[in-house]
Amino acid sequence: MLEQLLIFTRGGLILWTCKELGNALKGSPIDTLIRSCLLEERSGAASYNYDAPGASYTLKWTFHNDLGLVFVAVYQRILHLLYVDELLAMVKHEFSQIYDPKHVEYFDFDETFRQLRKEAEARAEELKKVKPVGKSVNDGRKLVMKKGSGFDGGNKKNNSEANEGGNGDDGKGRKLENGHSYGNHNAAAVQGNRGMGLANGKENASSNNEAFDVTKLQKLKNKGGKKTSDTSVVSKGSKVDPKKKVTKKNRVWDDTPKDAKLDFTDHVEENVNENIEVMAADQGQSMMDKEEIVSSDSEDDEDEVVSKDSKPDAKKKGWFSSMFQSIAGKANLEKADLEPALKALKDRLMTKNVAEEIAEKLCESVAASLEGKKLASFTRVSSTVQAAMEEALVRILTPRRSIDILRDVHAAKEQRKPYVVVFVGVNGVGKSTNLAKVAYWLLQHKVSVMMAACDTFRSGAVEQLRTHARRLQIPIFEKGYEKDPAVVAKEAIQEATRNGSDVVLVDTAGRMQDNEPLMRALSKLIYLNNPDLVLFVGEALVGNDAVDQLSKFNQKLADLSTSPNPRLIDGILLTKFDTIDDKVGAALSMVYISGSPVMFVGCGQSYTDLKKLNVKAIVKTLLK
């Protein structure tokens, strides 16, 4: 049963709802659809699933882009209603006939919707009745085919071919000599004709030079028999008890006692101030506090690039018709009109290192937002598509929430607790280096920082972080190697609370998204310490792998957490941004797949090389 059907404008004004349905929806599926799907340029999808406590809904929608209307239907996911798509199309057509931008109430549409709904349900019932009939017809055809291909029919065919003296056909397109056919006969016929078949086989072997030699088959059989006998002896000799688990034992060369594990950790108390280069305070201002100026080129150049990339249609229009269309404007844009420009944009996004899946979804969403819309005068389809794509990219990359960390730090300071940031990511992306850059930026804003060395797995990780702490002259909490990272982080937060540190930056070990034991340990660290911010550190060099990394990181954190409301990734720190030239697509892929904003961008080797993401510059580079 249909739960609800709404009609509202793109501005959010609800024009009509079905009062007959009037079911109180659990949760807020419509708000979630707008926030997570329509505003995130995922409207090209067929449907959206919403899970609420005690209910699971499926939402389907359609647009009237020329009038700026959205039609949404909500029903229980378990029902699988077949008439929803057709009903939405009918409602869209009928409502567009009576829509007036000056009116906000449409009580007269209730009776129209009641009739449309009955028609859609009746058609769905007819389709259900037609399907079993079609199935029985197909079954009847199969029975007729089987009956026609019986043994008698096969014999008649073979006998007639043999009498004619021509080449036989086995029914599979293969010609056999002497008129013999080896069709699909029953077992009794095959056994009855076995002797005749062998005789014919000998005659064919002697007459045909390409026939198979039986002696070779006998030799191969003897060789195979010897091998099987050898393997049987081996299998008999090596019987393994299924109850006992076979484990490989370490090889012992002598009887000397086992040495204790060596700990090469250079403890902080030893030689702290010897030959240490303390960082100077005049390294300069961090790039986070500098405004980046974007050079603005003319839009004509961009339009020229689009026109070059887009291929002309197979049916070329005349000069007069194209000129008249550009002046008068096209009635309504169709999908065929948008495909050449969208294909050119998709190829361009992929050359900028955007994941193929993300580029395809973006183009589908832009097509859904433009299909049926009237093309303005003196405008081209390519420029309209480019403008729509630019708006979509700006909307995706612009953060939906505040990413002002300094404000959050001061709010936590008023509550007399440290602000905890956990850095996570795959191996070798630069978590420790960029953690030091964030620490340097916070120090410039008079915020006391403490580092927590929770990478107890990689050799040299503690020493690397200790070097950064000495250069920045900030405290570091460490417990050496082979310790539980979750416990180390908890003790570090307790130490920061006692010492009055404002921020705790937690460094974690790099791990691949498919490594379940390490992902379980990370999930435990986040659950036990409940950090204020979980930053995913990712390379700007990745392409399609960005989708796999972020989606699986979020999925593992959700699946392996023991909390009913697991913490996922809150923000992204992009590293090595100075090495990619114009291949900036990783930023778009990561934001689109996770919904988390890019909070920092690493663009160099020094502590000052950390900046904010310039959305306009990224969008301009993607569409250039």
Side-chain angles (χ1 to χ4, degrees):
M1 179 181 176
L2 198 66
E3 295 289 327
Q4 190 56 270
L5 194 142
L6 294 89
I7 304 174
F8 56 91
T9 64
R10 285 186 179 272
L13 177 64
I14 298 178
L15 300 175
W16 180 85
T17 58
C18 183
K19 295 180 180 178
E20 277 189 8
L21 300 174
N23 298 324
L25 298 176
K26 297 181 180 180
S28 54
I30 304 296
D31 294 340
T32 307
L33 172 71
I34 295 172
R35 189 170 56 251
S36 302
C37 191
L38 303 186
L39 292 179
E40 290 295 318
E41 296 301 325
R42 303 173 197 268
S43 55
S47 61
Y48 178 77
N49 293 328
Y50 175 81
D51 294 320
S56 297
Y57 298 116
T58 295
L59 291 85
K60 290 193 173 183
W61 62 91
T62 185
F63 301 112
H64 197 300
N65 293 312
D66 195 21
L67 301 178
L69 301 178
V70 184
F71 304 81
V72 180
V74 186
Y75 60 93
Q76 293 284 348
R77 191 187 308 171
I78 197 173
L79 296 180
H80 300 289
L81 301 182
L82 302 177
Y83 62 86
V84 174
D85 292 327
E86 185 180 1
L87 179 62
L88 281 173
M90 295 163 65
V91 169
K92 171 184 171 182
H93 179 265
E94 293 295 330
F95 191 83
S96 62
Q97 302 295 327
I98 64 171
Y99 174 69
D100 186 356
K102 297 178 181 178
H103 294 168
V104 293
E105 294 180 349
Y106 295 87
F107 299 113
D108 300 337
F109 193 68
D110 294 342
E111 184 62 29
T112 306
F113 173 74
R114 194 178 297 110
Q115 295 176 0
L116 295 176
R117 184 182 173 193
K118 287 181 180 178
E119 291 179 13
E121 289 178 349
R123 290 181 186 177
E125 290 296 329
E126 290 177 2
L127 288 174
K128 287 182 181 178
K129 292 178 182 178
V130 169
K131 283 185 178 180
V133 176
K135 188 176 181 182
S136 62
V137 171
N138 292 334
D139 293 342
R141 287 179 182 175
K142 289 180 181 177
L143 290 172
V144 171
M145 291 297 292
K146 287 180 180 178
K147 187 175 181 181
S149 61
F151 174 70
D152 295 336
N155 275 345
K156 289 177 182 178
K157 183 179 179 182
N158 294 338
N159 292 334
S160 63
E161 289 173 352
N163 293 331
E164 291 173 2
N167 291 333
D169 193 345
D170 66 346
K172 298 180 182 177
R174 296 180 306 202
K175 298 290 182 180
L176 303 178
E177 295 182 359
N178 300 327
H180 294 292
S181 170
Y182 297 93
N184 293 327
H185 305 306
N186 55 13
V190 172
Q191 289 178 0
N193 296 329
R194 184 177 294 173
M196 185 172 64
L198 289 173
N200 290 336
K202 289 179 181 179
E203 291 174 5
N204 290 335
S206 60
S207 61
N208 192 359
N209 295 329
E210 295 179 0
F212 185 79
D213 191 359
V214 181
T215 57
K216 294 181 180 179
L217 180 63
Q218 190 67 27
K219 291 179 181 179
L220 291 172
K221 185 176 179 182
N222 293 335
K223 289 182 180 180
K226 290 179 182 179
K227 289 181 180 178
T228 52
S229 62
D230 295 340
T231 53
S232 63
V233 173
V234 174
S235 61
K236 287 180 181 179
S238 58
K239 289 184 178 180
V240 182
D241 190 0
K243 295 182 180 179
K244 295 181 180 179
K245 188 177 179 181
V246 180
T247 56
K248 185 178 179 180
K249 296 182 180 180
N250 294 328
R251 180 173 294 178
V252 180
W253 295 100
D254 51 15
D255 298 332
T256 56
K258 189 176 180 180
D259 295 335
K261 289 185 178 180
L262 299 178
D263 186 8
F264 293 102
T265 305
D266 182 17
H267 298 286
V268 182
E269 292 79 13
E270 301 175 4
N271 303 326
V272 176
N273 297 319
E274 291 183 11
N275 300 326
I276 294 178
E277 181 184 356
V278 179
M279 203 198 90
D282 57 351
Q283 268 221 350
Q285 186 183 12
S286 176
M287 296 177 69
M288 281 288 294
D289 302 319
K290 295 179 181 178
E291 292 294 334
E292 188 175 357
I293 300 173
V294 184
S295 60
S296 59
D297 297 336
S298 62
E299 295 182 358
D300 297 336
D301 297 339
E302 295 178 357
D303 292 339
E304 287 176 6
V305 174
V306 173
S307 61
K308 288 179 183 177
D309 291 344
S310 58
K311 296 180 180 178
D313 296 337
K315 297 180 181 179
K316 294 184 178 180
K317 299 179 180 179
W319 174 83
F320 180 78
S321 61
S322 61
M323 178 63 70
F324 178 77
Q325 182 176 311
S326 65
I327 295 174
K330 188 174 172 63
N332 286 310
L333 286 172
E334 299 176 356
K335 193 171 183 180
D337 303 326
L338 301 171
E339 281 180 356
L342 287 174
K343 186 179 183 303
L345 272 179
K346 178 186 173 183
D347 294 340
R348 188 180 311 166
L349 289 174
M350 290 174 61
T351 58
K352 302 294 183 181
N353 221 11
V354 178
E356 182 182 3
E357 178 185 353
I358 306 301
E360 187 172 352
K361 288 183 178 179
L362 276 172
C363 291
E364 290 175 358
S365 180
V366 170
S369 65
L370 290 178
E371 194 173 348
K373 196 173 183 179
K374 186 174 181 181
L375 187 66
S377 304
F378 296 102
T379 55
R380 291 177 295 179
V381 176
S382 57
S383 59
T384 304
V385 170
Q386 174 132 347
M389 179 64 77
E390 185 175 353
E391 291 177 5
L393 295 178
V394 171
R395 191 159 51 245
I396 292 170
L397 292 172
T398 302
R400 301 194 305 268
R401 59 179 177 81
S402 174
I403 56 172
D404 189 357
I405 293 182
L406 295 174
R407 188 194 65 180
D408 297 338
V409 168
H410 290 301
K413 189 176 181 181
E414 291 177 358
Q415 300 177 5
R416 296 185 178 180
K417 65 175 186 178
Y419 186 82
V420 182
V421 183
V422 176
F423 292 76
V424 303
V426 300
N427 308 77
V429 294
K431 290 184 294 297
S432 303
T433 303
N434 286 275
L435 181 146
K437 294 179 184 179
V438 174
Y440 178 80
W441 172 68
L442 291 171
L443 288 174
Q444 286 193 321
H445 289 273
K446 310 300 180 185
V447 176
S448 59
V449 183
M450 187 178 79
M451 295 181 178
C454 296
D455 185 356
T456 61
F457 180 75
R458 176 172 64 90
S459 300
V462 176
E463 287 77 11
Q464 179 187 4
L465 205 65
R466 188 187 302 159
T467 303
H468 286 305
R470 288 172 180 173
R471 289 176 57 83
L472 295 172
Q473 295 181 321
I474 59 177
I476 178 174
F477 186 88
E478 58 170 282
K479 287 289 184 179
Y481 295 98
E482 297 186 3
K483 305 293 190 302
D484 188 354
V487 177
V488 176
K490 186 175 183 180
E491 294 178 359
I493 295 171
Q494 293 173 352
E495 181 68 20
T497 305
R498 287 192 296 267
N499 295 340
S501 298
D502 300 330
V503 179
V504 179
L505 303 179
V506 180
D507 185 29
T508 61
R511 64 204 76 212
M512 295 304 293
Q513 61 269 20
D514 299 320
N515 193 328
E516 186 169 336
L518 290 179
M519 290 302 299
R520 191 179 297 276
L522 179 63
S523 179
K524 177 185 175 183
L525 185 148
I526 294 174
Y527 170 70
L528 189 64
N529 297 284
N530 191 23
D532 299 281
L533 183 65
V534 179
L535 271 182
F536 178 84
V537 184
E539 284 182 330
L541 304 169
V542 295
N544 291 325
D545 199 37
V547 178
D548 189 58
Q549 287 179 9
L550 266 168
S551 58
K552 286 189 177 179
F553 250 85
N554 267 335
Q555 188 65 39
K556 291 290 184 181
L557 289 178
D559 293 345
L560 301 176
S561 176
T562 56
S563 172
N565 298 317
R567 284 290 303 278
L568 303 180
I569 293 169
D570 300 318
I572 299 169
L573 194 157
L574 270 178
T575 65
K576 306 177 185 178
F577 212 73
D578 54 323
T579 64
I580 58 172
D581 195 21
D582 62 343
K583 305 291 189 294
V584 296
L588 177 63
S589 299
M590 289 184 178
V591 173
Y592 188 91
I593 200 66
S594 67
S596 303
V598 176
M599 306 184 72
F600 301 100
V601 175
C603 54
Q605 299 296 324
S606 64
Y607 291 130
T608 59
D609 293 330
L610 189 74
K611 63 180 182 180
K612 299 176 184 177
L613 182 73
N614 193 319
V615 175
K616 292 183 180 179
I618 296 295
V619 172
K620 182 185 172 186
T621 305
L622 286 172
L623 297 178
K624 186 170 63 176

